[in-house]
Amino acid sequence: MAESFFSDFGLLWYLEELRKEEFWKFKELLMQEPLKHELKPIPRTELKKASREDLAKLLDKYYPEKQAWEVTLSIFLQINRRDLWKKAQEEIRHKINPYKKCMKDKFHLIWEKETCLQVPDSFYRETIKKEYEELNNAYTSEEISEGSPTVVLKGSEGIGKTTLLRKAMLEWAEGNFWKGRFTFAFFLNVCEMNCITETSLVELISRDWPASSEPIKDIFSQPQDILFIMDGFEELKFDLTLENNKCNDWTQQQPIEIILSSLLQKKMLPESSLLIALGPIGMQKIYFLLQHPKYIVVSGFSEHERKLYCSHFFCEKNKAMKAFSFVRDDESLFAVCQNPLICWLICCCMKWQLERGEDLEIVCQSTTSLYASFFINVVKAGGENRARLKGLCSLAAEGIWTQTYLFYHGDFRRNGLSESDVLRWLGMNLLRRNGDCITFIHSHVQEFCAAMFYLLKQPKDNSNPVIGSITQLVAIGLRKIEACLSQTGLFLFGLSAEKITKMLETSTGFQLSQEIKQEIIQCLKTLSQCGSNETELDFQELFNGIYESREKEFTAKVMDFFEEVTIHIGNTEELVISSYCLEHCRNLQRLVLGIENIFLDDSESNSRNWKLIFWQDLCSVFSTNKKLQVLELDNCSFSDDSLVVLCKAMAQPTCKLQRLLFHCVSDIGDGPYFFKAILHNPHLKYLNLYDTSLSYTAVRQLCETLMHPMCNIEQLMLGKCNITDEDCEDIASVLICNNKLKHLSLVENFLDDEGAVMLCDALKHPNCALETLVLNYCCLSSVSCDYISQVLLCSQSLTLLDLGSNTLKDNGVNSLCEALKNPNCHIEELWLANCLLTPDCCKDISSVLISNKTLKTLKLGNNGILDVGVKQLCVALNHPNCKLQNLGLDMCGLTTACCEDLASAFTACKTLRSLNLDWNTFDHDGVVVLCEALSRLDCALQTLG
C-alpha cells in the first residue's frame, strides 16, 4: 500500500492539507508527472472527477508503494508545498530508515560508558540549559533563512564541548532536538581520521550507515536537511591551512584534509549545516576557514552547580559535604572547578584520599600542580610501580609525537603493560574505551603523562625513537610547528619547577630527572640567538611556560636571553602572564604589544580595577627597564583608564623610549595624558600613529605639543589618521615652529589641494627644517604641483618628496620639472609612482636629469611610461651631465622594444647604481640584451630589479 510510506497519517491526510486551488493544480500536474518517471498516467476522465479520497485510492491502484511516493512528493515541490514534502520525507525516513535508531543506540552507549561526568540527566540538562537553547535557536530561528549556518561551540579544554555535542546527537536521534529541522545528522570525530589517507565523504558516512537504509545519494540530494557535527580538531594531525585544493564532489576520493577543508569552507554540500567544537588550539587551526560562524560559548559549572556536582560524585552525604567545604575554602581551587574536567580530576583526588583516610590536600598553584596531584593519587590508588608508570607515560609520549590518541592492546603490550594494568586504569577512569580502541580520559591527561615520561626516563633507557628530546619538544612547541605538542611542553615547564618535582618524588617515592630545567634553559638560549628568519618564536607560548613554573630565578634567567619580544594579549589571563614575564625582562630593547578585548565593555568595577592593576604592572616596564628603546602598540583597544595608565608610565622621567609606534590603535582620546607623555620624554625621537583615528581636537593638541620647545620628536608618521585639509593649518604651524622635526608622513589622508596649499606655505618658510615629506594617497591633483614647485625652489632643507598615488598627471609633473631644473632646487629624491603619467611627460623629466646635479633618486613605477617614454629617458641617462643613481620603472608597460636603449644607458651612465624593472613584459631576447650589458666591465649598475 502506498500509504505505508506516509507513516500513520496516510496519503489522504496529505491531500486534505491542500487548499482547493492547490488540489486542482495537483491533479493537473498528475496528468504529466508519471511520464517523467516512465509510468502510465491515470486516465484523465477518472482523474478529473476524483475527490481527495478517490485520488488517494487511484494513486494506490496505479502506482503501488514507492512509485506513488515519488510522484506525489515531486508534485508537492512543484506547487510550493515544501512543508508537506518535508514532513512526508521525515516521516518516511524515520519509518523505513534505521539510521536514526542506529545513532540512538550508538550514542546512548557512548553517553553511558564514555563520559566522566556520570551525573543524573536532570543535573546535566540544568548545567547546559543556556547553551542548549542557543544551540536549538541557532538552526531554527527565522534569521537562518539567509543560508545554512556554521555554529561553533567555543570554550577551554575540558569545559564540556564534546559532551554537549554527544548529548545533542543523542537527543536528535531520540527525536527530542531540532524537531523537523534536520533529517540526518552525521557525527564526525576528526581525530579518528588521522589514519585515513584518501577517502570520499560518502565512504566516511558509510561507516555508520546501516545496510538496510536507503542509498546515501538520495540523502545528499537534499543537503539543506543535513547537519554535520564535527569534533576533535585539536588532535587532528593534518594541517588544513596547507591545502588549497577544494572538492565539491562528495563521491570523489580525495585526501582526508581536502574533504574536511571543503566541508568547513562550504565548498562541498554548501547548503548543509555545521556544528563544530573548538578549543583554543582548534580555533588557531581552522577558525579562518569557517564561513560566517556563529559562536556559542560553553561556560562550565556555576558556583551552585559545583556544589551539586560534588553531591552527585560522592555517594555519601558527609563525604560530599566535606569535599565541597574543602574546595570552597580554597579560592583558587573553587575557581578552577568551573571547568568540569578539572572538577572531576579534583573530585577523584579527594575520593581516593578519603578512601585512604588521608587529610584532603590538593596543590592548585598551576595547571601542572593540579595534574601532578591527580597523578600522585593515581599512583597511590593503584599501587603503581615505576616500570608500569614509565610504560604508560611512554605510550602517552609516543601518541603525542605521532599524534595518536586511540590505542590498541598491542600498543600497551609494546610498552610493557599487561591486560590487568589496562583494566585497572579503565576502572579508575584514567583510561576509557572508544569502540575497539582505548584512549586517555582526556587529551590533557595524555599530554601530562607524556611530559612525565621525561621525568621518569633514565639515561640508560632505550626509548622509542619517535619520541623527541626535551630540546625538540620545547623548540617545536614554542615555534607552534605542531600545536599538539604545546600543552605537553607547557606541562614540562611546570614539572621543571623544583617545588613540583619534590612533591612528586616525596609522594611517589620515585627519583626523577633533575636535568629538565637546564635542558629547557639551554634550548631557550639557542632559540634566542636564532635570527628572525630562522625561527618564529611564539612568545605567548613561552610566557605560558615560564608562568607555569613560576620560579623567579628561572624566569629572570630565561627572559634575559631576549632583547626583542612580540606579544598579543587577548584575555585577562594572558595579561596577568605577560605582566609577570615582562617584569623580569631586563635586557629588553624592543617590545611589540597587541592588546584587545581586555578593557572595553567592562561593567564590573572589581574586574576593571583588577585588570588595571596588572596593566599597571606591565606598563611599569616602560619606565623601569633602562634598555627599552622601542615600543610598538599594534592593533590595541584601550579604555580611558587603561590609556591613562599607559601614558603616565611613558611620562616617567626614567622612561628611555626613543621610538613609539601606535598601529591601528582604537583611540588616543582627547585628554592631555598622551601628549604629556610625548612632551615629558626627552629621549623620544620617533612617533608613528599609523591607522590611529585622530579627532580634530587630538590633532590640535598634538600640534601644540610638537611646537613646545621641550618636544624632541624628529620623525612623525601620521598615516591614515583621518587628517583633513582643516587640520593642515595646525600642522603647517608645527613645520614653521619646530626646527627639530625632520621627517613627516601624511600618507592616506584626505588633504586635497587645499591642505597641500597650507603645507606649502609653511614649507617655504625659512624656519622650516623638514627634510622628508611623504604625501602618498592624499588626493592631490595637478593644482597642488604649482605650489609644490615653489617649495622646491624655496626650501633649503627638503631632500625627499614622495607624491606617489596622487592624480598629478603630465601637466602636474611638467610644473614640477620647471622647478627641478632650477639650480636653487635641492631635492635629492622624488617619488612619483602611480601618478597617471604618460610618455608625454618624459621629455621634461629628461631635461631635469640632464640639468639637475642634486637629484639622485627618481621613482616612476606604475605609470604608463611605455617604451616611447623610456627611450626619451635613456637619452638623458646617456648624457654625461646626468647624475641619477636610482631609477624606478617597475610596472611601466615596457617591452623588449626598449631594451637596447636601456642596455646603452647601463654602460653610458656612470652614476646609475640601481634600476627597478619589475613587472614589465620582456621576452627572452630582451633579457639577453640587458644581461649582456650588465656583464660589461664599464657597466656601473649594481642592482637590477
Side-chain angles (χ1 to χ4, degrees):
M1 295 289 288
E3 290 145 284
S4 64
F5 281 84
F6 293 85
S7 187
D8 300 328
F9 295 106
L11 177 54
L12 180 58
W13 183 91
Y14 286 90
L15 295 177
E16 286 177 342
E17 286 293 297
L18 299 176
R19 292 183 288 273
K20 185 176 180 180
E21 62 275 13
E22 291 173 337
F23 180 62
W24 282 107
K25 183 69 174 175
F26 184 97
K27 291 202 292 185
E28 184 181 329
L29 291 169
L30 190 55
M31 296 177 187
Q32 301 297 325
E33 187 63 25
L35 299 175
K36 298 178 185 177
H37 300 269
E38 298 181 354
L39 299 172
K40 184 180 178 181
I42 299 172
R44 182 181 294 269
T45 53
E46 291 187 59
L47 196 57
K48 193 171 183 180
K49 61 182 181 179
S51 65
R52 285 171 170 78
E53 188 175 351
D54 295 334
L55 187 57
K57 292 177 180 177
L58 286 171
L59 283 166
D60 181 33
K61 175 182 175 182
Y62 282 92
Y63 312 125
E65 301 199 353
K66 195 172 181 180
Q67 293 174 352
W69 166 62
E70 290 174 346
V71 170
T72 302
L73 292 187
S74 177
I75 296 175
F76 279 166
L77 290 176
Q78 293 177 58
I79 62 174
N80 295 321
R81 287 305 302 266
R82 183 174 180 79
D83 57 326
L84 294 180
W85 176 90
K86 191 171 183 178
K87 189 171 189 65
Q89 285 277 37
E90 176 67 23
E91 291 299 318
I92 294 165
R93 286 172 178 165
H94 187 72
K95 197 91 174 167
I96 68 172
N97 196 318
Y99 173 74
K100 234 175 181 179
K101 183 180 184 305
C102 179
M103 290 299 98
K104 178 181 175 181
D105 295 341
K106 176 179 178 177
F107 280 88
H108 182 75
L109 184 63
I110 288 174
W111 186 253
E112 291 294 322
K113 302 294 184 183
E114 294 185 16
T115 176
C116 62
L117 281 176
Q118 299 296 324
V119 292
D121 200 54
S122 58
F123 169 75
Y124 180 71
R125 285 180 181 277
E126 187 60 32
T127 64
I128 51 100
K129 185 177 180 181
K130 179 178 73 70
E131 292 89 342
Y132 199 78
E133 289 177 0
E134 288 184 60
L135 201 49
N136 186 54
N137 293 337
Y139 297 103
T140 57
S141 64
E142 295 179 3
E143 300 173 12
I144 63 137
S145 57
E146 301 172 3
S148 52
T150 295
V151 178
V152 176
L153 286 185
K154 181 181 175 184
S156 59
E157 299 297 338
I159 202 70
K161 303 181 297 297
T162 295
T163 305
L164 181 52
L165 288 187
R166 290 172 171 177
K167 185 63 172 174
M169 185 69 182
L170 177 59
E171 292 281 296
W172 169 81
E174 291 177 338
N176 300 324
F177 202 37
W178 297 313
K179 288 184 179 179
R181 176 62 181 91
F182 296 116
T183 309
F184 287 91
F186 300 108
F187 197 105
L188 302 178
N189 187 345
V190 297
C191 168
E192 297 174 1
M193 301 175 192
N194 282 334
C195 298
I196 300 174
T197 51
E198 284 199 355
T199 187
S200 67
L201 183 60
V202 168
E203 288 180 10
L204 277 179
I205 301 304
S206 297
R207 295 183 303 169
D208 281 328
W209 197 251
S212 58
S213 295
E214 61 187 289
I216 291 181
K217 62 183 179 64
D218 292 349
I219 306 307
F220 284 173
S221 66
Q222 300 296 332
Q224 67 275 5
D225 297 328
I226 294 175
L227 172 67
F228 290 100
I229 301 176
M230 307 174 79
D231 191 23
F233 282 101
E234 282 71 19
E235 289 86 39
L236 183 67
K237 70 180 181 182
F238 302 109
D239 188 348
L240 301 183
T241 64
L242 300 178
E243 191 47 67
N244 293 321
N245 296 323
K246 303 294 175 289
C247 176
N248 59 9
D249 185 351
W250 36 268
T251 65
Q252 188 177 343
Q253 285 266 341
Q254 291 283 356
I256 187 64
E257 52 267 41
I258 292 182
I259 301 293
L260 292 175
S261 181
S262 300
L263 270 177
L264 292 173
Q265 296 184 69
K266 295 296 186 81
K267 302 297 181 184
M268 185 182 292
L269 299 175
E271 298 89 356
S272 65
S273 297
L274 301 178
L275 173 57
I276 306 165
L278 292 179
I281 292 176
M283 285 290 288
Q284 293 169 14
K285 281 185 174 184
I286 69 160
Y287 80 95
F288 51 87
L289 298 176
L290 306 178
Q291 306 296 305
H292 312 294
K294 298 178 181 179
Y295 292 103
I296 296 176
V297 177
V298 183
S299 54
F301 290 155
S302 67
E303 293 187 6
H304 177 63
E305 287 163 354
R306 289 168 229 181
K307 181 178 181 180
L308 288 176
Y309 180 75
C310 280
S311 67
H312 290 302
F313 186 92
F314 294 93
C315 298
E316 299 175 33
K317 186 176 181 180
N318 62 328
K319 285 185 178 181
M321 291 301 296
K322 185 175 183 179
F324 180 72
S325 297
F326 172 74
V327 170
R328 186 188 52 201
D329 292 343
D330 186 323
E331 190 175 328
S332 300
L333 209 56
F334 189 61
V336 296
C337 279
Q338 179 183 359
N339 184 298
L341 174 67
I342 299 295
C343 194
W344 175 80
L345 288 174
I346 290 169
C347 285
C348 285
C349 292
M350 292 189 294
K351 175 177 174 285
W352 292 327
Q353 288 173 359
L354 289 172
E355 288 173 352
R356 293 192 300 269
E358 297 176 357
D359 292 334
L360 294 179
E361 183 182 8
I362 296 171
V363 181
C364 187
Q365 293 178 342
S366 64
T367 305
T368 305
S369 65
L370 275 174
Y371 279 83
S373 295
F374 177 73
F375 188 83
I376 287 167
N377 280 281
V378 166
V379 172
K380 290 182 176 180
E384 309 300 344
N385 60 34
R386 185 189 185 100
R388 285 199 298 265
L389 283 175
K390 193 170 71 173
L392 179 67
C393 293
S394 174
L395 177 72
E398 284 179 20
I400 293 300
W401 280 97
T402 59
Q403 292 177 276
T404 302
Y405 297 87
L406 300 172
F407 302 99
Y408 296 91
H409 287 283
D411 299 319
F412 288 92
R413 285 194 297 272
R414 191 180 64 254
N415 284 277
L417 302 172
S418 67
E419 184 73 23
S420 61
D421 294 330
V422 176
L423 290 173
R424 184 172 62 260
W425 291 326
L426 284 168
M428 297 170 67
N429 277 335
L430 179 64
L431 305 176
R432 64 175 172 82
R433 296 192 184 277
N434 187 323
D436 295 333
C437 303
I438 293 170
T439 183
F440 285 82
I441 191 68
H442 191 273
S443 59
H444 275 9
V445 175
Q446 180 178 344
E447 288 153 354
F448 179 82
C449 290
M452 277 298 302
F453 165 79
Y454 294 97
L455 269 78
L456 291 166
K457 181 185 174 186
Q458 294 176 321
K460 299 176 185 177
D461 292 344
N462 292 319
S463 305
N464 190 324
V466 302
I467 302 176
S469 65
I470 289 175
T471 298
Q472 290 172 311
L473 177 61
V474 172
I476 292 173
L478 295 184
R479 287 152 70 181
K480 286 211 164 178
I481 297 172
E482 302 257 354
C484 64
L485 293 172
S486 296
Q487 185 61 43
T488 303
L490 188 66
F491 281 134
L492 193 67
F493 271 89
L495 290 170
S496 72
E498 188 176 342
K499 189 172 182 180
I500 300 293
T501 307
K502 281 187 175 179
M503 181 179 80
L504 284 163
E505 285 185 329
T506 303
S507 301
T508 62
F510 305 147
Q511 186 177 355
L512 303 175
S513 172
Q514 305 298 314
E515 307 300 321
I516 289 180
K517 186 183 297 182
Q518 202 51 47
E519 287 190 58
I520 291 174
I521 290 172
Q522 187 56 48
C523 175
L524 294 175
K525 184 178 182 181
T526 303
L527 286 175
S528 71
Q529 294 167 349
C530 295
S532 57
N533 293 330
E534 298 176 63
T535 177
E536 288 187 18
L537 190 67
D538 190 308
F539 277 98
Q540 189 60 62
E541 288 296 319
L542 173 61
F543 284 9
N544 289 343
I546 291 171
Y547 192 74
E548 194 66 20
S549 72
R550 235 166 296 184
E551 290 185 328
K552 289 188 176 182
E553 185 180 344
F554 172 74
T555 303
K557 184 175 282 190
V558 168
M559 293 309 301
D560 278 352
F561 296 146
F562 299 97
E563 295 179 351
E564 295 190 7
V565 168
T566 299
I567 190 76
H568 183 273
I569 299 172
N571 55 53
T572 307
E573 182 184 9
E574 291 175 353
L575 173 62
V576 173
I577 293 171
S578 299
S579 172
Y580 171 81
C581 293
L582 288 172
E583 282 184 85
H584 293 85
C585 204
R586 294 171 295 195
N587 292 325
L588 188 64
Q589 296 179 20
R590 176 174 176 260
L591 174 62
V592 180
L593 175 66
I595 185 161
E596 290 184 280
N597 308 319
I598 307 294
F599 303 114
L600 302 182
D601 300 322
D602 204 343
S603 54
E604 288 188 35
S605 59
N606 288 339
S607 173
R608 181 171 63 250
N609 294 337
W610 186 66
K611 292 174 186 177
L612 287 174
I613 290 170
F614 286 105
W615 175 236
Q616 194 166 8
D617 291 340
L618 191 153
C619 290
S620 68
V621 174
F622 309 148
S623 56
T624 57
N625 191 320
K626 294 180 173 55
K627 295 183 180 180
L628 184 61
Q629 297 177 359
V630 181
L631 173 61
E632 295 186 31
L633 296 169
D634 188 16
N635 207 20
C636 294
S637 301
F638 294 117
S639 62
D640 291 341
D641 291 340
S642 58
L643 186 62
V644 168
V645 169
L646 169 66
C647 294
K648 283 184 176 180
M650 293 192 297
Q652 292 297 314
T654 51
C655 180
K656 304 296 182 182
L657 285 176
Q658 296 179 17
R659 294 169 68 88
L660 177 62
L661 296 86
F662 271 51
H663 290 167
C664 305
V665 175
S666 57
D667 193 3
I668 62 168
D670 294 331
Y673 296 100
F674 177 77
F675 307 105
K676 283 183 178 179
I678 297 171
L679 191 60
H680 291 167
N681 188 334
H683 309 282
L684 196 62
K685 309 289 185 185
Y686 178 97
L687 178 62
N688 188 334
L689 300 179
Y690 182 80
D691 205 9
T692 296
S693 182
L694 300 178
S695 65
Y696 176 79
T697 304
V699 173
R700 172 153 287 188
Q701 286 183 295
L702 175 61
C703 291
E704 289 172 358
T705 302
L706 292 166
M707 288 189 285
H708 197 285
M710 284 177 59
C711 181
N712 290 321
I713 297 293
E714 295 177 0
Q715 293 178 280
L716 179 63
M717 314 299 209
L718 297 178
K720 205 174 180 181
C721 288
N722 291 337
I723 292 172
T724 67
D725 57 321
E726 295 178 1
D727 301 307
C728 288
E729 186 175 354
D730 291 314
I731 295 173
S733 300
V734 172
L735 297 179
I736 295 171
C737 297
N738 187 334
N739 58 10
K740 298 174 187 175
L741 188 64
K742 305 300 181 186
H743 181 111
L744 175 62
S745 172
L746 294 170
V747 301
E748 298 178 67
N749 286 300
F750 191 79
L751 302 186
D752 211 356
D753 294 325
E754 288 83 354
V757 170
M758 283 184 270
L759 293 177
C760 288
D761 287 341
L763 291 165
K764 290 186 294 181
H765 197 281
N767 290 347
C768 179
L770 197 70
E771 297 174 358
T772 300
L773 179 61
V774 183
L775 297 175
N776 263 34
Y777 290 102
C778 286
C779 304
L780 309 184
S781 72
S782 58
V783 174
S784 296
C785 292
D786 292 334
Y787 298 92
I788 294 171
S789 297
Q790 297 173 33
V791 172
L792 298 179
L793 294 173
C794 298
S795 175
Q796 300 298 305
S797 61
L798 193 66
T799 57
L800 188 154
L801 178 61
D802 183 356
L803 297 172
S805 300
N806 289 293
T807 55
L808 306 184
K809 299 185 178 179
D810 293 338
N811 55 336
V813 170
N814 292 341
S815 176
L816 295 176
C817 288
E818 290 303 313
L820 289 164
K821 287 186 282 187
N822 192 298
N824 292 326
C825 177
H826 300 285
I827 203 79
E828 295 179 6
E829 294 191 46
L830 181 62
W831 299 3
L832 298 172
N834 191 28
C835 288
L836 301 183
L837 307 184
T838 74
D840 293 344
C841 68
C842 291
K843 184 175 182 181
D844 286 312
I845 294 175
S846 295
S847 299
V848 170
L849 297 182
I850 295 171
S851 60
N852 189 310
K853 302 294 188 293
T854 59
L855 187 65
K856 300 293 187 286
T857 298
L858 177 63
K859 294 189 178 182
L860 297 171
N862 200 15
N863 284 297
I865 301 298
L866 307 180
D867 296 332
V868 179
V870 167
K871 288 175 182 288
Q872 188 72 53
L873 295 177
C874 287
V875 171
L877 292 171
N878 279 287
H879 196 282
N881 290 346
C882 179
K883 304 301 179 187
L884 196 70
Q885 295 179 4
N886 308 294
L887 177 61
L889 293 172
D890 47 304
M891 292 190 289
C892 284
L894 310 185
T895 70
T896 301
C898 69
C899 286
E900 291 286 355
D901 300 273
L902 287 169
S904 173
F906 287 1
T907 54
C909 187
K910 302 305 179 185
T911 59
L912 192 64
R913 298 290 181 266
S914 173
L915 176 62
N916 189 349
L917 296 174
D918 283 348
W919 300 99
N920 287 296
T921 53
F922 302 127
D923 62 17
H924 177 266
D925 293 339
V927 173
V928 169
V929 170
L930 296 177
C931 289
E932 287 177 351
L934 283 170
S935 64
R936 291 183 52 173
L937 295 176
D938 54 350
C939 176
L941 197 67
Q942 297 174 355
T943 304
L944 179 63

